[in-house]
Every structure is written in C-alpha cells, then in structure tokens.
Amino acid sequence: MSGTSAALQPPADAVKPVRHPEAPAPGELLGAHYEHCFGCGGGQAHGLHLAARAGEGVSITAEFTVQPAHQGAPGLAHGGVLATALDETLGSLNWLLRTIAVTGRLETDFVRPVPVGTTLHLQAEVTAVAGRKIYSTATGRIGGPDGPVAVRADALFVEVKVDHFIDHGRKEEIQAAMSDPDQIRRARAFEVNP
C-alpha cells in the first residue's frame, strides 16, 4: 500500500502469524460473527452481508455486492462502505488466530470507483504479530478475484479481553449475545469490534 504510516509497520521483533489449530479449514465459510453486525450480519437489512471464507495460512477471501443503499455518489459505492468492507474482512482474520481483537488503525487507499451492482472480491492476510498487536493487509478487486484493484488497506488490530465489549457495549445486546446457547456464536459475537 502506498503511504502506509509508521504505526502500521511491524516492529523488528514481530513474528510470523500462526494459524490456530482449531481455526476453520481452508475454504470453510466463516459466517457472521454477530447477527446484527453491519458488515457480516444477516439481521441488518441494508448491511453488507459480507461472506468470508478461510484461506491458507492466516488469510481469508470475502465478497459483497454493492447495493443501492450503499451509494455515495449516484451509482457508486460510498467510500465509508468500502472501508467498512475492508475492516470487516481484516477483522475476520482474527477468527483464524482465535483472538479477540479490535481495530486500532485502518488506512485505506481508494484506487478506482466501485459501481452499484458490482461484487467486490476481497483478500486479506495477517502479516505479523507483535505482542497484542496484529498487522494485516487487504485488497478489494472488481470484475473477479484477479480483476483490477479498487481498494486496499493496511490495519493494526489490538488483542483485548471480552471485558472490553461487556464494559462498553449496550447492556441489552451484551446480555442477549452472552445468553446464546450456541457456544461458537456466543464466542464469535465478541471477536471483532471497535
């Protein structure tokens, strides 16, 4: 990515990421981490409904189709929606590490317009880990997984404890998520949020 800030450069003591042994298998659909997430949840009528799949190593692929509700300029995706798609994709990587983490920094380059009706093909990978910091990168392409790059981002995620969400989230939603009888959905509800 061009112009990446020093905050997104892993330190010299950073290590190569290691996929958790219980991470979803390559090709497996990750599913929504939370039903009401704007990025991946099915409970948001105008959400992105982003679908991510585990890749090899600590990588994923994802797709979402730009809907009329995602417009900024007439007929084109809003830049904030594209940044959300990148953030959601990058955040999904943490499920492969089995780490609860939040976005600390996200730097995005908008390379070309993304028209309404276009499917954005995203690829992301964790590049390094240093203590609680997780460094990752993503690209979004149009016209297919090998099409021209439309957006790209570098990110820094910071590992947190589940208390981060309990202390800062709305009590009703936290209690509902913690009461879910499905242990995996309960854990995933708290995996990626600011």
Side-chain angles (χ1 to χ4, degrees):
M1 189 167 124
S2 63
T4 299
S5 71
L8 293 176
Q9 298 298 320
D13 63 344
V15 297
K16 182 178 178 177
V18 177
R19 183 188 191 101
H20 192 279
E22 296 176 20
E28 187 175 331
L29 186 65
L30 298 182
H33 76 91
Y34 178 55
E35 179 67 15
H36 299 291
C37 173
F38 181 78
C40 65
Q44 292 289 340
H46 298 296
L48 304 185
H49 303 154
L50 187 132
R53 291 191 178 278
E56 297 293 330
V58 188
S59 71
I60 65 164
T61 59
E63 292 182 359
F64 97 95
T65 301
V66 179
Q67 301 297 319
H70 303 144
Q71 291 181 82
L76 297 173
H78 189 288
V81 168
L82 297 174
T84 299
L86 287 161
D87 186 46
E88 184 69 30
T89 302
L90 289 157
S92 295
L93 289 165
N94 296 312
W95 188 239
L96 301 180
L97 299 173
R98 298 297 291 265
T99 299
I100 299 171
V102 296
T103 309
R105 187 174 188 95
L106 176 69
E107 291 186 14
T108 306
D109 284 339
F110 300 94
V111 180
R112 63 178 29 91
V114 180
V116 169
T118 300
T119 297
L120 190 66
H121 300 268
L122 298 132
Q123 297 175 305
E125 68 175 326
V126 176
T127 58
V129 176
R132 294 177 45 226
K133 295 180 177 181
I134 302 164
Y135 298 85
S136 53
T137 189
T139 58
R141 297 173 181 270
I142 57 176
D146 297 317
V149 173
V151 292
R152 59 182 168 237
D154 287 326
L156 168 65
F157 282 78
V158 180
E159 183 178 355
V160 296
K161 299 207 179 301
V162 74
D163 294 351
H164 169 85
F165 302 99
I166 294 168
D167 293 345
H168 301 289
R170 240 176 33 163
K171 191 173 189 171
E172 300 80 29
E173 281 86 357
I174 296 296
Q175 288 175 340
M178 292 180 81
S179 298
D180 191 325
D182 184 307
Q183 183 178 2
I184 292 176
R185 272 198 320 251
R186 188 171 56 241
R188 290 214 54 213
F190 300 101
E191 77 174 4
V192 179
N193 281 298

